[in-house]
Amino acid sequence: MSDSRGGARVAVARVQARGQVTVPLEIRDACGIKPGSDLVFIVNGADEFTCRVLPPRLPLDEVIEKYTVDGQAPDITELHEAMASDMTEHRAR
């Protein structure tokens, strides 16, 4: 069952015995959820949570290539800062 209220899409799903939930197709399509996507669940209260789609993980060689400056990989602090900036930018979209 789904509904659209005030621009938000609403869908109902049932939790299975092993805690699994099927995300409805229209929600997967709207949020870009694909097989293998990582989701993060944030508890907001006793009966409420937020679910967010995490950006795809990059293999280590791609991470190093992406954040390499002048042929040298940055130190770990610089790498963490750059990745945090990318995550913040991704969440703003």
Side-chain angles (χ1 to χ4, degrees), residues 2-11 26-27 30-31:
S2 67
D3 192 3
S4 182
R5 297 177 186 204
R9 293 187 181 144
V10 178
E26 61 204 48
I27 301 297
C31 296

Side-chain angles (χ1 to χ4, degrees), residues 59-80:
L60 182 57
D61 58 336
E62 288 183 35
V63 170
I64 291 170
E65 182 179 320
K66 181 175 180 177
Y67 296 104
T68 296
V69 179
D70 296 328
Q72 293 183 345
D75 70 28
I76 195 69
T77 302
E78 291 173 347
L79 184 58
H80 283 177

Side-chain angles (χ1 to χ4, degrees), residues 5 9 15-16 18 20 27 29-30 35-36 45 47 55 58 67 77 81-82 86-88:
R5 297 177 186 204
R9 293 187 181 144
V15 178
Q16 302 300 316
R18 294 185 353 172
Q20 297 170 317
I27 301 297
D29 288 346
D47 63 351
L58 295 175
Y67 296 104
T77 302
E81 290 171 356
D86 283 357
M87 288 292 293
T88 301

Side-chain angles (χ1 to χ4, degrees), residues 11-44:
V12 176
R14 183 173 306 256
V15 178
Q16 302 300 316
R18 294 185 353 172
Q20 297 170 317
V21 176
T22 299
V23 179
L25 179 61
E26 61 204 48
I27 301 297
R28 293 192 315 259
D29 288 346
C31 296
I33 300 171
K34 308 241 183 294
S37 291
D38 290 315
L39 307 175
V40 64
F41 296 89
I42 304 159
V43 177
N44 299 323

